[in-house]
Amino acid sequence: MGGSSPCASCKLLRRRCAKDCIFAPYFPSDDPHKFAIVHKVFGASNVSKMLQELPVHQRADAVSSLVYEANARVRDPVYGCVGAISFLQNQVSQLEMQLAVAQAEILCFQMQEPNLPTHQIDQVDKSFLLSNNNFDDNNIPQYLSFASSSNVIQDPLKKESLWT
Amino acid sequence: MSNSTRCAACKSLRRRCSKDCVLAPYFPPTNPQRFACVHKIFGASNTTKMLEQLPLHLRAVAVDCMSFEASSRVEDPVYGSVRIISQLQEQIIEAQSELVKTKGEIAFHNAQQQQQMQQLQMIHAIAQEGEDQPSWLSSSQQDLFPNINQQQLEDYNYSNTFCGFEF
């Protein structure tokens, strides 16, 4: 960073912040905690290697997700992000069950009164309920055996969280 | 563990595997890939420090989770396991939206059914009113003409003398 102040990583690592410092664009000096937590969990050397292996336009997202994971692991040293995944999988299962019950009720109405308007029902995707296609397509493993933890759920990648 | 049965961690790090090696119980030599992932993402030193801060009975689970996160990150170097969290949150939003729509549909059908029931009840009530005779019709015919002398009626042979009509 030349004559300007060193980035948060170089400050923490107590080294000169070069012009082409790989950390500088993503760890500004005004947010030292961000690098501190990533360094604590992953290590500066590993983070540097990971960033070097990525094209420049993907590095910001990579840093965001690393920061998220590091925060998760600090908040929950046993389960980390997996706790959040397990919790969310439970939520999805519960919602799918509720949806199945509700749609069964709709089918009862249809059977009792076949002439009732069903324009909304036709658009309901029943396959959403009856299969776990979403999980199969994304290869998301079922971690329901882990104790679920909501300690770490917040905004991944700046999306709105449902649990705040 | 002797050198001949070093854990995967010590084999990878090319060091002697001591009896009290922190990593040995969780990185058996039969699965070198597991430690390789964890080492690549978290580093051996960080992994050891993190495990040392945990009670013994929680370390196995912690290593499983770290192993999952590390392998997710190796597969997806940009988002790692955070991608799964994002996808799950999106699924939850979709499911909630679907549930709200479906519950609205149920409320609509319930309201229609209630309306139909009320209409049926009204029709039934009206029909009942039509069938029931009013109280003034239920009394016997003789009360209609309280002042008529019954004997006079019999004497007059009512059917013959009342305008020729036969009753």
Side-chain angles (χ1 to χ4, degrees), chain A residues 40-43 46 50 54 58 61-62 65-66 68-69 73 77-82 84-85 88-89 91-92 95 98-99 102-103 105-106 109 112-113 116-117 120-121 124 128 134-135 138 140-141 143 146 153-154 156-157 159-163, chain B residues 38-44 46-47 50 53-54 58 61-66 68-70 73 77-96 98-110 112-113 116:
Chain A
K40 179 177 179 173
V41 174
F42 297 105
N46 287 339
M50 282 190 255
L54 290 172
Q58 288 184 323
D61 278 353
S65 67
L66 284 169
Y68 183 87
E69 274 194 49
R73 188 139 289 278
V78 180
Y79 297 102
C81 264
V82 175
I85 291 171
L88 292 172
Q89 282 180 334
Q91 293 272 300
V92 171
L95 281 168
Q98 287 176 30
L99 199 48
Q103 291 207 348
E105 225 174 305
I106 296 283
F109 280 124
Q112 286 168 11
E113 299 280 350
L116 281 177
Q120 284 173 300
I121 297 168
V124 169
F128 181 84
N134 288 321
F135 282 118
N138 299 322
I140 300 170
Y143 272 80
F146 284 100
I153 295 172
Q154 51 172 345
L157 308 175
K159 288 185 186 175
E160 255 189 42
S161 168
L162 299 168
W163 293 272
Chain B
V38 170
H39 179 42
K40 180 176 179 175
I41 301 303
F42 293 101
N46 284 342
T47 306
M50 284 192 261
Q53 288 169 1
L54 293 173
L58 291 175
V61 174
V63 169
D64 283 344
C65 294
M66 288 173 71
F68 174 75
E69 286 177 34
R73 180 66 57 180
V78 182
Y79 298 107
S81 58
V82 175
R83 180 186 289 280
I84 299 171
I85 291 175
S86 280
Q87 286 169 343
L88 286 169
Q89 286 189 331
E90 276 172 28
Q91 284 181 13
I92 284 166
I93 290 171
E94 279 175 28
Q96 285 179 332
E98 202 65 42
L99 192 59
V100 163
K101 265 196 316 190
T102 309
K103 284 189 170 177
E105 188 90 18
I106 289 169
F108 171 76
H109 285 308
N110 278 335
Q112 271 204 328
Q113 270 195 344
Q116 283 175 351

Side-chain angles (χ1 to χ4, degrees), chain A residues 17-81:
Chain A
C17 192
K19 273 186 192 174
D20 56 353
C21 172
I22 195 163
F23 296 121
Y26 316 107
F27 297 102
S29 55
D30 58 358
D31 191 359
H33 174 74
K34 191 172 161 185
F35 181 77
I37 205 161
V38 167
H39 177 48
K40 179 177 179 173
V41 174
F42 297 105
S45 172
N46 287 339
V47 175
S48 172
K49 282 185 211 164
M50 282 190 255
L51 291 181
Q52 279 169 3
E53 287 170 6
L54 290 172
V56 174
H57 68 277
Q58 288 184 323
R59 290 179 186 177
D61 278 353
V63 166
S64 294
S65 67
L66 284 169
V67 169
Y68 183 87
E69 274 194 49
N71 273 314
R73 188 139 289 278
V74 166
R75 274 202 204 95
D76 188 346
V78 180
Y79 297 102
C81 264

